Amino acid sequence: MADMLDWTSADLEKLDTKTYEGRADEMAARLVEETGAGRLPFLTMPYAAMLKQELADLKDYLKTFDHMLLLGIGGSALGARALQQAFFPQQDQPGHVGPSLWIGDNIDAYALEAYLAKLPPEKTVIVTVSKSGGTIETVGQYFILKEWAQKHLGDRWSEHMLLVTDEEQGFLRGEVETYGIKALAVPDNLGGRYSVLSAVGLIPAMFLGMDIDALMSGAQEVAALLTDPELTGEALAGHSSFQLAVWAAALQDKGFDEMIFFAYIPLWASFGDWFAQLWAESLGKEGKGSQPVPALGVTDQHSVNQMFMDGIRNKACLFLTCPSLPAGPKFPSDLPDQFEYVRGKDFGELLQAEGLGTQMALSQNGVPLVELRMGEDGPKQAGKLIALLGAATILTGWLMGINPLDQPAVELGKRLAKARMNADGLDEEKADLNEYLTADRDIREF
Ligand code: PA5
């Protein structure tokens, strides 16, 4: 079955899409310029051939380990987790033997203590992923794991390290040069949230035995038209990424300032978190954007769905389905009468029925909805989804008149935290902190 988008419930007739549709030529010209200048490598993938070779060279080395501990945060971790959950669910299932991937993407002392106490050093590779090479949450864990590796492995510690970072700059690149640690590059202009189909996500994917070629070819299939140097507005207008961008921008104009990502492919739940970061960090700018809301079918039908259905009418929805998911076991045929309707049917049929019910109920309750219907739930489709949503995000940002590739607003909190830890400089932040902490506070015990 083909992968498709179902626009029937998108409420296009209630939106003013014309203005944005009329900008197809401008958007096509911009894509030609940006891809030509190498500024959208997640679409053009100029690094693909070399990366495939580098990954092939790493294969035997990685096979010598049972555990991979990935240290990274934000875009340096969320894509890897989405792929892990989607295509390596066995690690969370009873009786798992084989490789295990652990992702340290927080300042979580419990988790870190557990890694230090329980991971077997001889069988563990530590992969530190940071484009900038200086993110304290990641580098801080690297320092601790480096000491751990040195203690347990002596001179061989660096053989258990793999760094994924900028080709030239940053603290981690310095570590590569000082200690001769194996490293793969995060290509120029490939920001974290757009980087899953580079070494960032593909090293852990390969370690877990996923079909990397299928992931990349899926993405390349979606990106082919968008990276055509002869791209026209007319051709772009027919591409799903542009149509989604037009829809998303027009929705915002009508006050739809939340975008639900409702996944009815249970194993793909973590793509919701990946999407949330992609959408939020790219589009939350200058008082604009729509808040991404990841949700999981059917679990969240018994949770946040009440708000989707009958809360503020400010929500639109990307509804992810796959009609060809495994059927699973059959329900027994000797069930009580009240459950007669499932007797002898496939367990998986219930998921599809509930997905259909929720989809229909949402659109009947004023939630404009586009169904992303995947023909299969394989890695090729995941690659297509990643490229489609990445491109749609970029185009939405351009239509909104903001830069979807930066995230300047997250810096303030980071600077204040550094000031709190008494980092050099940051005098203004230190003064602001002092004022904040010494002001009268309204504190009440509970
Ligand atoms: O998407 C992004 O650019 C961010 O979420 C980064 O991935 C995150 O801040 C981590 O940055 P770095 O990879 O430089 O450590």
Side-chain angles (χ1 to χ4, degrees), residues 60-69 115-126 145 148-161 207:
D60 288 342
Y61 161 75
L62 289 180
K63 274 194 185 140
T64 63
F65 300 108
D66 293 337
H67 298 270
M68 176 178 283
L69 173 56
Y115 298 143
L116 296 173
K118 296 181 185 170
L119 285 173
E122 292 286 349
K123 287 299 202 179
T124 300
V125 58
I126 298 151
L145 264 302
W148 176 84
Q150 285 170 336
K151 181 173 151 206
H152 292 283
L153 300 162
D155 290 347
R156 290 179 299 116
W157 72 273
S158 57
E159 294 164 23
H160 288 243
M161 296 277 170
F207 177 68

Side-chain angles (χ1 to χ4, degrees), residues 73-76 129-133 135 191-193 277 281 407 414:
I73 195 166
S76 290
V129 184
S130 174
K131 164 79 176 148
S132 61
T135 303
R193 56 192 179 273
Q277 190 229 359
E281 274 201 341
Q407 59 282 337
K414 292 187 198 169

Side-chain angles (χ1 to χ4, degrees), residues 223-242:
L225 183 132
L226 303 173
T227 55
D228 179 352
E230 308 291 323
L231 177 66
T232 61
E234 195 185 343
L236 181 63
H239 197 275
S240 296
S241 62
F242 181 71

Side-chain angles (χ1 to χ4, degrees), residues 122-437:
E122 292 286 349
K123 287 299 202 179
T124 300
V125 58
I126 298 151
V127 182
T128 307
V129 184
S130 174
K131 164 79 176 148
S132 61
T135 303
I136 188 58
E137 297 89 341
T138 300
V139 173
Q141 295 188 88
Y142 167 78
F143 291 140
I144 292 168
L145 264 302
K146 176 178 168 184
E147 187 182 60
W148 176 84
Q150 285 170 336
K151 181 173 151 206
H152 292 283
L153 300 162
D155 290 347
R156 290 179 299 116
W157 72 273
S158 57
E159 294 164 23
H160 288 243
M161 296 277 170
L162 187 52
L163 300 179
V164 182
T165 192
D166 189 87
E167 207 148 8
E168 287 173 4
Q169 304 171 38
F171 169 77
L172 289 179
R173 184 48 61 183
E175 290 287 279
V176 175
E177 278 148 25
T178 309
Y179 299 107
I181 299 174
K182 278 193 207 321
L184 267 72
V186 184
D188 285 349
N189 299 316
L190 192 65
R193 56 192 179 273
Y194 296 95
S195 71
V196 51
L197 297 183
S198 71
V200 171
L202 296 183
I203 288 178
M206 185 175 77
F207 177 68
L208 297 176
M210 286 169 213
D211 185 347
I212 286 169
D213 290 340
L215 277 164
M216 292 178 90
S217 78
Q220 281 163 334
E221 194 175 306
V222 168
L225 183 132
L226 303 173
T227 55
D228 179 352
E230 308 291 323
L231 177 66
T232 61
E234 195 185 343
L236 181 63
H239 197 275
S240 296
S241 62
F242 181 71
Q243 294 168 358
L244 283 172
V246 166
W247 182 63
L251 281 166
Q252 287 178 44
D253 294 344
K254 285 270 184 211
F256 289 93
D257 52 20
E258 293 189 18
M259 180 62 80
I260 303 164
F261 182 90
F262 218 149
Y264 271 77
I265 306 178
L267 290 182
W268 288 27
S270 292
F271 276 108
D273 297 328
W274 168 83
F275 169 76
Q277 190 229 359
L278 172 73
W279 196 254
E281 274 201 341
S282 301
L283 303 180
K285 315 261 160 81
E286 302 173 23
K288 302 183 206 169
S290 60
Q291 178 69 34
V293 184
L296 176 63
V298 305
T299 311
D300 283 323
Q301 285 176 216
H302 295 259
S303 170
V304 287
N305 196 38
Q306 171 67 31
M307 184 65 88
F308 297 167
M309 296 290 292
D310 205 19
I312 308 170
R313 298 300 201 267
N314 65 341
K315 295 164 188 60
C317 183
L318 289 168
F319 201 90
L320 180 69
T321 66
C322 178
S324 66
L325 289 178
K330 284 199 186 302
F331 290 103
S333 48
D334 59 346
L335 296 179
D337 283 349
Q338 73 185 107
F339 301 110
E340 169 275 327
Y341 61 96
V342 295
R343 272 184 204 152
K345 291 192 176 146
D346 294 331
F347 182 59
E349 199 179 327
L350 191 54
L351 171 78
Q352 302 298 349
E354 294 202 21
L356 179 64
T358 303
Q359 181 175 343
M360 199 170 143
L362 283 169
S363 50
Q364 285 184 354
N365 274 268
V367 178
L369 178 150
V370 172
E371 182 187 350
L372 307 172
R373 192 182 306 146
M374 311 311 290
E376 288 172 36
D377 62 336
K380 177 157 188 210
Q381 284 70 28
K384 287 179 79 174
L385 184 75
I386 288 166
L388 174 66
L389 294 176
T393 303
I394 294 283
L395 290 166
T396 305
W398 289 351
L399 289 174
M400 288 163 58
I402 53 96
N403 176 4
L405 294 172
D406 65 0
Q407 59 282 337
V410 302
E411 295 306 320
L412 175 59
K414 292 187 198 169
R415 284 202 309 279
L416 289 167
K418 275 191 193 161
R420 176 67 165 168
M421 299 292 280
N422 207 19
D424 274 351
L426 299 168
D427 294 337
E428 204 177 312
E429 287 80 359
K430 284 175 187 166
D432 287 350
L433 258 184
N434 192 40
E435 198 180 317
Y436 181 78
L437 291 169

